[in-house]
Amino acid sequence: MKWIMVIAGLVLALWGIGLLPVAGQANKEPDRKLIELSGKLLLQVKMDQSVNSLREALAKIETDTLISGLPNDDARKTFWINIYNAYFQILATKEKKTRPAIFKEKLITIGGLRLSLDQIEHGILRRYRSKLSLGYLPQFFPGKIIKQLAVSKIDYRIHFALNCGATSCPPIAFYNYGKIDKQLEIAASSFLKTDTEVDSLKKQVTVSRILQWFKADFGGNKGIKLILKQYMNQDFSDYSLEFKEYDWTQKMKNFDS
């Protein structure tokens, strides 16, 4: 029993060390051309045009250039949301990848790195949180590069921006540096207002399953109700909270404009 406790303690200690943040970069302007590549890739996908040259350009970027070119959270969110949405469409339609491989396999080469969609979403955009555990647990040893690329703070609004080709997914938008905060506000407001069902008689509010899968990102049930109050201008503190079944029926190229 003693040895089990010692081993468990060592594992937790190593886990904690692995989660320590990497030293941040100096406060500087991001590489606008780098960020624009992500938007161009998504546009080519929407227009059904060849993406080969853009994929090659993204793959050939130096890793250090990728890290230094995205020095703040707005830059990281803009770049990686566009990349995620573009690459899901590419992998699903052009390379015929399906679940779970489309999420788990390292099929994306950017900045000399082989990445998966899961690494982009849960490693970078969710600051290396576990895909499971409702978001309450961090990942074991995400790796130095992922930590260098990751946002400094989880923004729950990204869940209303990422599209995985399912009917229940939010629509795809083009995100721009300098407008990302306003755009994410619009995405969150639009999704919650159109997808949430309120039964005033039963005192019940039903929301997307996304909010349950990543409950910790939203601050738990209490946080979800506060978010709903913010966007829907209604107090749900005494309402019961229910979650919809997720409709995985394929709905590709669901662009919002």
Side-chain angles (χ1 to χ4, degrees), residues 167-181:
T167 297
S168 288
C169 284
I172 304 167
F174 290 83
Y175 288 90
N176 300 288
Y177 183 75
K179 299 179 180 179
I180 183 73
D181 187 66

Side-chain angles (χ1 to χ4, degrees), residues 79-207:
F79 181 83
W80 291 110
I81 289 172
N82 286 337
I83 289 293
Y84 184 100
N85 287 337
Y87 261 98
F88 185 90
Q89 300 291 317
I90 292 168
L91 297 176
T93 60
K94 297 181 182 300
E95 301 184 14
K96 307 302 180 184
K97 298 294 181 179
T98 58
R99 291 188 295 148
I102 192 170
F103 296 114
K104 293 182 177 181
E105 293 183 6
K106 295 181 180 181
L107 304 169
I108 302 162
T109 304
I110 295 178
L113 306 169
R114 296 282 290 177
L115 299 168
S116 68
L117 286 172
D118 273 354
Q119 284 180 303
I120 293 172
E121 179 178 4
H122 308 295
I124 297 172
L125 288 170
R126 296 186 60 238
R127 190 170 171 77
Y128 34 93
R129 305 302 294 179
S130 171
K131 183 177 181 178
L132 305 175
S133 80
L134 306 182
Y136 285 99
L137 296 177
Q139 297 176 4
F140 279 93
F141 312 112
K144 182 179 179 180
I145 297 296
I146 292 295
K147 293 200 301 185
Q148 288 177 309
L149 292 171
V151 295
S152 64
K153 183 180 179 181
I154 297 173
D155 184 343
Y156 66 81
R157 298 174 301 175
I158 65 150
H159 294 296
F160 307 122
L162 298 176
N163 180 281
C164 64
T167 297
S168 288
C169 284
I172 304 167
F174 290 83
Y175 288 90
N176 300 288
Y177 183 75
K179 299 179 180 179
I180 183 73
D181 187 66
K182 183 177 180 180
Q183 288 180 303
L184 287 174
E185 278 294 291
I186 292 170
S189 178
S190 175
F191 186 84
L192 290 172
K193 287 178 179 177
T194 57
D195 197 72
T196 303
E197 298 173 1
V198 179
D199 189 328
S200 298
L201 293 177
K202 292 184 179 179
K203 290 284 186 176
Q204 178 177 297
V205 58
T206 305
V207 297

Side-chain angles (χ1 to χ4, degrees), residues 231-248:
Y231 289 105
M232 300 182 69
N233 196 31
Q234 182 176 345
D235 186 359
F236 296 102
S237 57
D238 60 346
Y239 277 58
S240 63
L241 189 62
E242 302 293 332
F243 301 94
K244 294 181 179 181
E245 289 299 319
Y246 206 74
D247 186 351
W248 286 102

